[in-house]
Amino acid sequence: MKKIISLVLILAILLVLTVEVANAKLVACVGDSITYGSGISNRDYNSYPAQMGRMLQKFDNQWQVQNFGVSGATLLRNADKPYVQQSAYNQALAAEPDAVIIKLGTNDSKPHNWALKDDFISDYLFLIDSFAELPSKPKIWICYPVPAFNDNFGISNAVIKDEIIPLVNQIAELRDVEVIDLYAALSGASALFPDGIHPNAEGAKLIAEAIAPISTPDFNADGIVDAADMSIIVDHWGENYPLCDIGPAPFGDNMIDVQDLIVLAEYLFTEPGLIAYWKLDETEGIVARDSAGANDANIIGGPIWQPTGGMVDGALLLDSVDDFAGTDFILNPTEESFSVFAWVKGGAARQTVLSQAGGANWLSTDSSDGNLITELKGTYRAASTLQSQTIITDDLWHHIGFVRDGSDRTLYVDGVPVAQDIQDSLGGSENGLYIGCGKAMEAGTYWSGLIDDVRIYNRVVIP
Ligand SMILES: [Ca+2]
Ligand SMILES: [Ca+2]
Ligand SMILES: [Ca+2]
């Protein structure tokens, strides 16, 4: 078996090597008001496609999700508001998506629409085929409707459950597309559907999570996709193991097989979710290039490049007086998960490695001994700094980091967690970052020593 898997693996990699390097990839969400986000506060941020888009950013920055939902739309082509007669349908086709999520049927359950139920299969196949025939050859997933918790607007839960869902199964077989069971995924969530039909933001999040259960091809969360992640796939070969079900991209098919290896091979040696990365390997000039995103940092105050003096190639030597590097906005600390890491050498008590202008000091040292702390904290009155007892100013190289995981805060020094607690809703800011001085550029907060290899991820990474 192992031999077969290795053979398959090699084949998969060869296949992938013949594929062009991928550009931006689009998921088109086709649906009705539940997809559109009717009744959801801040729809652009909280509709299920918007929330899924943020989840997919952790898979790969290239994936984008677009909402093509139309309130009241039906799957049936002769019902009261056929999706295929809406401009959103033509826009979705024109967008040439790489993946399509179809979630229709709820409005078809209304009695005057369901009178046309004999057309449901043929009309559904028409919709699937119109996407499948696009030059972009998208992978298509079709969804069971979510439950109707009240038979509101004429929508019938009995029709959805007893008639539409079995038909969706037949359609999936006829076209060999994957089904996503949103009916079961949401069946316990009536409290998240204020009118019984439309989810609120939390309900939309459950829909997004049911469609996109995985978050990254870096299964062991060590920052990079490599052989260790591949061996996790091999260990679960032939199983339904959601953690590794990344193929077909991006939502999987409830089975771990060669398709997952193919997707993994596409990401081999990449670092998913790395949204900013300053290697600080420059030898001169006033720009520190961002290797992951588009946020080059401006070097201010005249720190000295150390092309051979870094932990990883070059580094930046700061003078504790007025040297720092400034960037545009990268990340708001209100995000559910993110990670920041840097290598440092030198420094002194009360100095800062990384801060957000006018926000918080993300990585700094305490005022007495030079222990690593973070001032990223909750907005409530008793919220406090997270304090480690690990001195990082002893003139040795240290790899320091802060990881936000849901409600947890963790500080790391040299791969070891040195402080951890629970802290809800960190204070937010949409300002840029300072590398090497405090949030208000106060005297005494400027770093005195070397900083190297500063990385920011939009997900949890365990060093
Ligand atoms: Ca990994
Ligand atoms: Ca799979
Ligand atoms: Ca470097």
Side-chain angles (χ1 to χ4, degrees), residues 94-134:
E96 297 227 3
D98 300 276
V100 180
I101 303 290
I102 300 174
K103 190 201 163 304
L104 283 164
T106 300
N107 294 309
D108 298 272
S109 74
K110 296 170 183 171
H112 58 280
N113 289 332
W114 201 235
L116 304 163
K117 65 180 173 185
D118 288 349
D119 297 337
F120 193 80
I121 289 181
S122 60
D123 288 356
Y124 215 131
L125 296 180
F126 174 87
L127 182 63
I128 290 173
D129 292 346
S130 66
F131 282 104
E133 287 160 6
L134 288 172

Side-chain angles (χ1 to χ4, degrees), residues 400-453:
I400 62 172
F402 172 81
V403 176
R404 175 69 168 166
D405 182 1
S407 56
D408 284 4
R409 294 188 296 181
T410 308
L411 283 169
Y412 285 90
V413 175
D414 300 327
V416 178
V418 293
Q420 182 170 46
D421 72 354
I422 290 173
Q423 188 93 169
D424 289 327
S425 52
L426 299 183
S429 168
E430 299 206 335
N431 294 334
L433 301 179
Y434 296 145
I435 298 168
C437 74
K439 62 189 179 193
M441 308 174 91
E442 315 95 307
T445 66
Y446 286 77
W447 189 254
S448 56
L450 291 157
I451 298 180
D452 193 7
D453 214 63

Side-chain angles (χ1 to χ4, degrees), residues 23 50 59 112 137 143 150 156 224 240 244 247 285 292 314 359 391 423 449:
N23 288 316
F59 189 92
H112 58 280
K137 294 192 173 55
C143 303
N150 293 324
S156 162
I224 189 160
N240 176 6
C244 300
I391 293 172
Q423 188 93 169

Side-chain angles (χ1 to χ4, degrees), residues 12 61 66 70 111 119 169 182 203 209 227 245 264-265 314 316 411 422 427:
N61 297 336
Q66 207 170 334
V70 178
D119 297 337
N169 287 333
L182 296 180
E209 287 174 345
D245 188 18
L264 184 115
L316 199 57
L411 283 169
I422 290 173

Side-chain angles (χ1 to χ4, degrees), residues 139-161:
K139 176 73 188 171
I140 297 165
W141 284 261
I142 62 178
C143 303
Y144 291 172
V146 298
F149 296 102
N150 293 324
D151 281 358
N152 232 341
F153 317 110
I155 291 163
S156 162
N157 190 59
V159 168
I160 289 172
K161 180 160 149 284

